[in-house]
């Protein structure tokens, strides 16, 4: 891919948008929608270009240490396989993170508690029905039962991040046609409700999406900025971190509509500090 150069017109346009009151986040997305590469859009906004030195203090994030071959990671009570690794953003796809019995146990105990999914309302800090998200979901509390505790300990070891910094596991079930439109998992620093959300352990700094059941067709997790599509497979998972709560993290991602069958996932979001 050929690098795009920043034009005078583009810089003027960005300045005008920011002066009108659009957030850098919105301007960045508009540039991407107009066909600009993330690196050029970052440059126009005066933000770090992926791969370049980041001028502000880097936020510590969960991280993965593979073995010498790069194909396996020690998760404490088992070794997990690596099927994909990207560096911008830092993203790993793992195989066999969960056993069939663990997937089934999480789904069985979640089923009677599933409700139409809500997402955090970034304007108020409360929860709202989100029409971009047509799944049903529930949250386990941290350490709620033996299986949940075992999986949380494994994740803490795999990602070198304390159990206490994790939100409770969220289970989602997507039926036919259900999807999760592309979004960022961090809380938008520019939104007024974000301050209240951050009091419970700071920003989200990483996500681990674990596939409990694959649909027959559809339901891939997609990362439009990096052209990656992850096919759900029972027991496997995709992990990605974001040291910057900004589109420059390249962590835009979504769940494509399920065409046939049902897709089930469990997501672990990791915070900067203890999540209370
Ligand atoms: O189910 C998915 O593929 C998906 C896509 C985007 C899950 C999440 N985000 C999430 O749990 O944050
Ligand atoms: Zn997400």
């Amino acid at each position: 891919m050929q690098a795009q150069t920043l034009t005078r017109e583009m810089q003027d346009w960005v300045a005008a948008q920011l002066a009108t009151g659009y957030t850098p986040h919105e301007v960045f997305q508009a540039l991407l929608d107009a066909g600009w590469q993330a690196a050029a859009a970052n440059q126009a906004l005066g933000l770090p270009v992926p791969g370049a030195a980041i001028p502000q203090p880097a936020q510590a994030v969960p991280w993965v240490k593979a073995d010498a071959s790069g194909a396996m990671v020690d998760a404490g009570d088992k070794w997990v396989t690596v099927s994909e690794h990207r560096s911008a953003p830092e993203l790993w796809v793992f195989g066999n993170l969960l056993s069939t019995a663990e997937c089934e146990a999480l789904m069985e105990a979640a089923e009677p508690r599933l409700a139409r999914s809500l997402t955090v309302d970034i304007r108020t800090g409360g929860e709202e029905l989100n029409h971009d998200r047509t799944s049903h979901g529930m949250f386990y509390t941290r350490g709620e039962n033996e299986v949940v505790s075992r999986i949380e300990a494994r994740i803490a070891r795999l990602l070198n991040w304390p159990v206490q910094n994790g939100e409770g596991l969220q289970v989602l079930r997507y039926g036919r046609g259900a999807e999760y439109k592309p979004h960022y998992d961090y809380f938008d620093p520019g939104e007024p409700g974000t301050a209240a959300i951050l009091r419970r352990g700071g920003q989200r700094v990483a996500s681990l999406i674990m596939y409990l059941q694959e649909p027959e067709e559809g339901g891939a997790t997609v990362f439009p900025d990096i052209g990656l599509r992850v096919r759900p497979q029972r027991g496997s998972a995709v992990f990605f971190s974001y040291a910057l709560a900004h589109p420059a993290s390249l962590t835009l991602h979504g769940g494509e509509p399920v065409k046939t069958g049902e897709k089930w996932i469990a997501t672990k979001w990791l915070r900067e500090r203890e999540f209370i």
Side-chain angles (χ1 to χ4, degrees):
M1 190 162 55
Q2 208 182 333
Q4 293 171 331
T5 40
L6 207 56
T7 59
R8 179 78 237 166
E9 289 76 16
M10 182 189 177
Q11 278 177 308
D12 290 346
W13 181 84
V14 167
Q17 299 306 303
L18 294 172
T20 315
Y22 286 105
T23 64
H25 186 278
E26 289 166 328
V27 177
F28 181 90
Q29 198 53 56
L31 289 168
L32 291 190
D33 293 344
W36 286 90
Q37 290 164 4
N42 280 343
Q43 212 185 339
L45 284 157
L47 291 159
V49 174
I54 293 171
Q56 68 242 60
Q59 169 61 50
V61 292
W63 56 284
V64 176
K65 185 178 185 298
D67 69 352
S69 74
M72 305 281 284
V73 187
D74 185 359
D77 62 347
K78 72 193 291 189
W79 284 79
V80 169
T81 58
V82 175
S83 51
E84 175 101 33
H85 175 214
R86 303 280 185 103
S87 305
E90 192 58 45
L91 178 151
W92 299 72
V93 180
F94 301 116
N96 76 292
L97 176 60
L98 303 181
S99 68
T100 296
E102 287 167 340
C103 292
E104 286 174 346
L106 287 181
M107 290 165 59
E108 193 180 314
E111 175 114 55
R113 290 157 62 181
L114 292 176
R116 175 78 195 272
S117 290
L118 299 171
T119 43
V120 178
D121 184 338
I122 45 181
R123 279 163 296 142
T124 62
E127 282 194 312
E128 62 169 6
L129 249 187
N130 184 339
H131 295 284
D132 288 348
R133 197 169 166 189
T134 47
S135 56
H136 286 72
M138 58 77 73
F139 275 96
Y140 282 108
T141 56
R142 224 167 36 220
E144 180 172 327
N145 60 41
E146 192 276 325
V147 178
V148 167
S149 295
R150 189 195 320 149
I151 294 168
E152 287 174 335
R154 188 179 301 151
I155 294 170
R157 177 76 180 262
L158 175 74
L159 304 178
N160 296 288
W161 208 248
V163 168
Q164 309 85 265
N165 294 22
E167 296 181 28
L169 274 179
Q170 185 189 49
V171 173
L172 290 184
R173 182 191 66 197
Y174 303 78
R176 192 159 60 87
E179 66 182 311
Y180 199 162
K181 298 243 175 80
H183 60 272
Y184 301 95
D185 282 353
Y186 57 75
F187 303 108
D188 186 341
E191 290 288 342
T194 296
I197 299 166
L198 300 190
R199 273 181 227 125
R200 298 181 72 189
Q203 256 299 357
R204 285 180 176 163
V205 287
S207 307
L208 177 73
I209 301 170
M210 296 169 279
Y211 303 103
L212 305 181
Q213 180 177 294
E214 69 244 27
E216 280 152 40
E217 228 191 320
T221 305
V222 292
F223 294 81
D225 291 346
I226 58 168
L228 179 68
R229 171 176 265 100
V230 180
R231 198 170 54 82
Q233 216 182 349
R234 172 170 271 181
S236 72
V238 56
F239 162 72
F240 51 99
S241 64
Y242 25 99
L244 283 179
H246 188 274
S249 65
L250 304 180
T251 56
L252 184 69
H253 64 290
E256 288 184 335
V258 168
K259 288 196 185 138
T260 17
E262 265 187 8
K263 172 188 171 188
W264 289 67
I265 61 162
T267 300
K268 174 64 87 177
W269 286 295
L270 301 161
R271 299 288 191 108
E272 289 175 78
R273 299 184 290 279
E274 180 173 5
F275 177 75
I276 43 172

